[in-house]
Amino acid sequence: MKKDNSAAFDQQEPEFYSTREAAVKLGLSLGTVQKMVETGALSASKTSGGHRRVLASSLSSYMRVRQSKVKMQANQHLSVLVVEDDKDMQKLYALNFDEWGLNVQLHCEANGLNALLHIAKHRPDIVITDLHMPNLDGFEMINSLRNDASFSGMDILVVTGMNKGEISERGGLPKDVMVFAKPVSFATLQGYVTAKEAAKARAQ
């Protein structure tokens, strides 16, 4: 009797995934995956009906790279992402972090969209962000992160020139987001980052 291999065939990985299926496999929001497709971080094709289909091999490759980076970073430094479109402010952050002499890796992005792509790949421990930025601003970026349960443990700090009333008019911020007024006190920021770095070192 000829053996029926249809069940085994059905269990094989498909050639393509819908963006929603890819989002589930990556543990990211649908919007984030769609942006990853638009920027080329994930390879995809478009159906005749205009729907995106993510190439399975591209998804698998991305997941392998991400898992490898997460494992390497988990036992090393505290990672901090600064989202700030002012180049001079980026340099000021870098200068202060360097002077602190902590076991911290700092990375800067100029807008929320690039920040989301970086976060999806590298999963920083702390995100320090402005609110007024081009393309995707801080409000949209923070809402995207807080609507995704996989990022619930990520610390988010806002550094802004906006007052409480102006922030409220934009819909406010999640309660677990800390807000610092510009110009930021780097001494206060140093204390916060130092405590987080020490806590991560103790956990290893």
Short mmCIF file of all heavy atoms in Angstrom, two decimals, residues 16 28 34 60 63 65 88 99 112 122 162 164 169 184-185 189:
data_model
loop_
_atom_site.label_atom_id
_atom_site.label_comp_id
_atom_site.label_asym_id
_atom_site.label_seq_id
_atom_site.Cartn_x
_atom_site.Cartn_y
_atom_site.Cartn_z
N PHE A 16 4.98 31.57 1.72
CA PHE A 16 4.69 32.95 2.08
C PHE A 16 3.80 33.00 3.32
O PHE A 16 3.09 32.04 3.63
CB PHE A 16 3.97 33.67 0.94
CG PHE A 16 4.79 33.82 -0.31
CD1 PHE A 16 4.66 32.91 -1.35
CD2 PHE A 16 5.68 34.87 -0.45
CE1 PHE A 16 5.41 33.04 -2.51
CE2 PHE A 16 6.43 35.02 -1.60
CZ PHE A 16 6.31 34.10 -2.62
N LEU A 28 5.22 41.01 17.02
CA LEU A 28 5.17 42.45 16.79
C LEU A 28 3.77 42.85 16.34
O LEU A 28 2.95 42.01 16.00
CB LEU A 28 6.19 42.86 15.72
CG LEU A 28 7.66 42.55 16.00
CD1 LEU A 28 8.51 42.89 14.77
CD2 LEU A 28 8.15 43.33 17.21
N GLN A 34 4.22 45.77 8.74
CA GLN A 34 3.95 46.44 7.48
C GLN A 34 5.03 47.47 7.16
O GLN A 34 5.47 47.59 6.02
CB GLN A 34 2.57 47.10 7.53
CG GLN A 34 1.42 46.10 7.52
CD GLN A 34 0.08 46.75 7.77
OE1 GLN A 34 -0.01 47.83 8.37
NE2 GLN A 34 -0.99 46.10 7.33
N SER A 60 12.21 33.77 8.33
CA SER A 60 13.05 32.85 9.11
C SER A 60 14.45 33.43 9.32
O SER A 60 15.01 33.33 10.42
CB SER A 60 13.15 31.50 8.39
OG SER A 60 11.89 30.88 8.28
N MET A 63 14.30 36.19 11.93
CA MET A 63 14.11 35.65 13.27
C MET A 63 15.41 35.05 13.82
O MET A 63 15.73 35.20 14.99
CB MET A 63 13.00 34.60 13.27
CG MET A 63 11.61 35.19 13.01
SD MET A 63 10.30 33.94 12.87
CE MET A 63 10.23 33.35 14.57
N VAL A 65 18.51 35.94 13.01
CA VAL A 65 19.42 37.04 13.32
C VAL A 65 18.99 37.73 14.60
O VAL A 65 19.81 38.04 15.47
CB VAL A 65 19.46 38.06 12.15
CG1 VAL A 65 20.23 39.31 12.56
CG2 VAL A 65 20.10 37.43 10.93
N ASP A 88 22.64 67.93 17.45
CA ASP A 88 23.43 68.44 18.57
C ASP A 88 23.03 67.75 19.88
O ASP A 88 23.88 67.44 20.72
CB ASP A 88 23.25 69.95 18.71
CG ASP A 88 23.93 70.71 17.58
OD1 ASP A 88 24.91 70.18 17.01
OD2 ASP A 88 23.48 71.83 17.26
N GLU A 99 30.98 59.87 29.35
CA GLU A 99 31.62 60.35 30.58
C GLU A 99 31.21 59.55 31.80
O GLU A 99 31.97 59.46 32.77
CB GLU A 99 31.28 61.83 30.79
CG GLU A 99 31.97 62.77 29.80
CD GLU A 99 31.60 64.22 30.05
OE1 GLU A 99 30.65 64.47 30.82
OE2 GLU A 99 32.27 65.10 29.47
N GLY A 112 10.56 58.26 14.86
CA GLY A 112 9.90 57.11 15.43
C GLY A 112 9.90 55.87 14.56
O GLY A 112 9.97 54.75 15.05
N HIS A 122 16.67 44.94 17.96
CA HIS A 122 17.64 44.93 19.04
C HIS A 122 17.06 44.93 20.45
O HIS A 122 17.79 44.68 21.41
CB HIS A 122 18.57 46.13 18.90
CG HIS A 122 19.27 46.19 17.58
ND1 HIS A 122 20.31 45.34 17.24
CD2 HIS A 122 19.08 46.98 16.48
CE1 HIS A 122 20.73 45.61 16.02
NE2 HIS A 122 20.00 46.59 15.53
N MET A 162 7.27 70.14 25.70
CA MET A 162 5.82 70.30 25.83
C MET A 162 5.42 70.27 27.30
O MET A 162 6.00 69.53 28.10
CB MET A 162 5.09 69.18 25.08
CG MET A 162 5.35 69.14 23.59
SD MET A 162 4.53 67.74 22.74
CE MET A 162 2.80 68.23 22.89
N LYS A 164 2.29 69.82 30.39
CA LYS A 164 1.28 68.79 30.65
C LYS A 164 0.02 69.03 29.82
O LYS A 164 -0.59 68.08 29.31
CB LYS A 164 0.93 68.76 32.14
CG LYS A 164 2.05 68.21 33.02
CD LYS A 164 1.59 68.14 34.47
CE LYS A 164 2.70 67.57 35.35
NZ LYS A 164 2.28 67.50 36.78
N GLU A 169 -3.57 67.43 25.34
CA GLU A 169 -4.29 67.74 24.10
C GLU A 169 -3.98 66.74 22.99
O GLU A 169 -4.80 66.53 22.10
CB GLU A 169 -3.94 69.15 23.63
CG GLU A 169 -4.54 70.25 24.50
CD GLU A 169 -4.11 71.63 24.05
OE1 GLU A 169 -3.37 71.72 23.05
OE2 GLU A 169 -4.54 72.62 24.68
N VAL A 184 16.93 68.51 29.70
CA VAL A 184 16.97 67.39 30.62
C VAL A 184 18.14 67.52 31.58
O VAL A 184 19.22 68.00 31.23
CB VAL A 184 17.07 66.06 29.84
CG1 VAL A 184 18.36 65.98 29.05
CG2 VAL A 184 16.92 64.86 30.78
N SER A 185 17.91 67.08 32.83
CA SER A 185 18.99 67.02 33.81
C SER A 185 19.75 65.73 33.59
O SER A 185 19.25 64.64 33.89
CB SER A 185 18.41 67.05 35.24
OG SER A 185 19.40 66.69 36.17
N LEU A 189 19.27 61.78 34.87
CA LEU A 189 19.27 60.69 33.90
C LEU A 189 20.38 59.68 34.22
O LEU A 189 20.17 58.47 34.10
CB LEU A 189 19.47 61.26 32.50
CG LEU A 189 19.04 60.40 31.31
CD1 LEU A 189 17.58 60.03 31.41
CD2 LEU A 189 19.31 61.15 30.01
#
